[in-house]
Amino acid sequence: MPTRRPDEDRIDPRYIVPGLSRGLALLQLFPRSKPAKTLAELAAGLGLSRSAAYRLVYTLEADGFISRDPETRRYRLTSRTLDLGFEYLHAQPITETAQPFLRALSDRTNAAAHVAILDDWHAVYLARAVPHAGLVINLQLGARLPAHTTSSGRIMLAHQEEERLRVIYDRLRKEVRGPNAVPPLPDFNSQIAADRKRGYVFHHSIADPGLVSLAFPIRDHDSRVVAAITVIVPEKLSDSLGGERALRPLVHEAADAISRRIGYRG
């Protein structure tokens, strides 16, 4: 069976299993804001008849990925679905390597420290360390955010090859709407060039006003950017620490230490 290269944008429909695609789509219909849904809601979300949706629900329930409340007749995800996500997180080699450096960075800055990778058009957060007390950050392990809206995502985008970057841009235009929509291509390219030249990104959060973040890239033995490390902190606390000027060398030092641990030689 032919394999699909990660950078290949074309999909051969001959090798698609529609039932599997619909089952995976169904698992994505349980947002945090509404974790329980009826069969009718699931069918509507998939654009399928109730009978077709029921076959998917029955299979996923039999395999332990969703469960049905007999009183409300609503379905929920089970912990088995979460297991898939956590297996993915812990399978990433950088997760374990980065953890002590994240802990040290969080302790030095009293900020939340995260490591993220670029997965298609998302920044995906794999590991984190948070202050022992006094700071609440909503960004959870496994969170997936449009890359251009975060400091981690922006610094990773800044080191993508031009062809790959254009593919990601097209996906962002298609997938992201509203205040987080990707800017016009000339503005996007200008920001990418500025981020690449600067070498890091200091960013005022769009999703959580009042928070700022600063990110540096993490490089592997081939000098490729494979991840990013960031600190996220309330702007008032950042100012009290010395702001961008004070945070920059601390995050840079942690990024360099992780990079060297995974083989980067400069």
Side-chain angles (χ1 to χ4, degrees):
M1 179 176 177
T3 58
R4 182 172 174 238
R5 300 191 311 273
D7 60 341
E8 189 175 16
D9 195 40
R10 296 184 299 276
I11 297 176
D12 191 333
R14 294 176 299 171
Y15 302 110
I16 296 295
V17 180
L20 177 58
S21 293
R22 287 193 289 267
L24 294 172
L26 188 147
L27 292 176
Q28 298 177 64
L29 293 178
F30 296 90
R32 187 180 305 177
S33 59
K34 192 173 183 181
K37 290 195 172 184
T38 65
L39 177 62
E41 289 172 325
L42 294 172
L46 294 172
L48 298 175
S49 66
R50 286 171 62 100
S51 60
Y54 179 74
R55 288 193 291 272
L56 294 173
V57 165
Y58 186 89
T59 301
L60 290 169
E61 186 178 16
D63 287 339
F65 289 104
I66 61 175
S67 63
R68 179 177 179 270
D69 185 322
E71 294 185 2
T72 64
R73 298 184 179 182
R74 292 179 179 272
Y75 293 89
R76 290 177 174 269
L77 298 178
T78 69
S79 61
R80 188 169 186 185
T81 306
L82 299 178
D83 288 343
L84 292 176
F86 282 111
E87 287 299 324
Y88 165 76
L89 294 179
H90 293 303
Q92 304 303 311
I94 201 169
T95 304
E96 185 175 351
T97 301
Q99 200 62 56
F101 299 102
L102 291 174
R103 179 73 270 156
L105 181 60
S106 178
D107 290 345
R108 294 177 71 184
T109 60
N110 201 33
H114 297 259
V115 160
I117 62 169
L118 188 65
D119 182 15
D120 198 2
W121 52 278
H122 290 103
V124 182
Y125 291 81
L126 300 180
R128 71 170 184 167
V130 297
H132 295 293
L135 179 64
V136 177
I137 297 293
N138 293 325
L139 190 60
Q140 302 298 317
L141 283 179
R144 302 171 63 87
L145 300 176
H148 70 292
T149 66
T150 72
S151 57
S152 293
R154 280 174 52 186
I155 198 60
M156 290 187 288
L157 289 175
H159 292 87
Q160 300 301 302
E161 295 182 357
E162 184 176 348
E163 182 178 350
R164 179 60 182 154
L165 194 59
R166 183 55 192 262
V167 171
I168 294 173
Y169 178 81
D170 289 342
R171 289 296 307 276
L172 287 168
R173 283 196 63 191
K174 179 181 178 182
E175 302 289 348
V176 185
R177 297 286 186 269
N180 288 335
V182 68
L185 184 59
D187 296 339
F188 178 79
N189 286 337
S190 294
Q191 184 178 73
I192 290 293
D195 291 344
R196 185 184 299 121
K197 181 178 180 180
R198 189 186 314 107
Y200 70 95
V201 171
F202 183 72
H203 174 71
H204 293 260
S205 176
I206 299 172
D208 294 295
L211 293 180
V212 297
S213 61
L214 193 147
F216 270 90
I218 296 171
R219 298 178 182 273
D220 68 5
H221 62 284
D222 290 324
S223 296
R224 294 178 306 159
V225 171
V226 294
I229 183 170
T230 184
V231 290
I232 304 174
V233 62
E235 188 168 6
K236 290 184 178 179
L237 178 57
S238 171
D239 291 342
S240 71
L241 294 170
E244 178 181 349
R245 179 177 296 181
L247 291 173
R248 185 176 64 235
L250 299 177
V251 182
H252 189 192
E253 179 182 328
D256 187 63
I258 297 171
S259 297
R260 292 186 181 281
R261 184 62 63 90
I262 63 174
Y264 177 62
R265 290 295 174 262

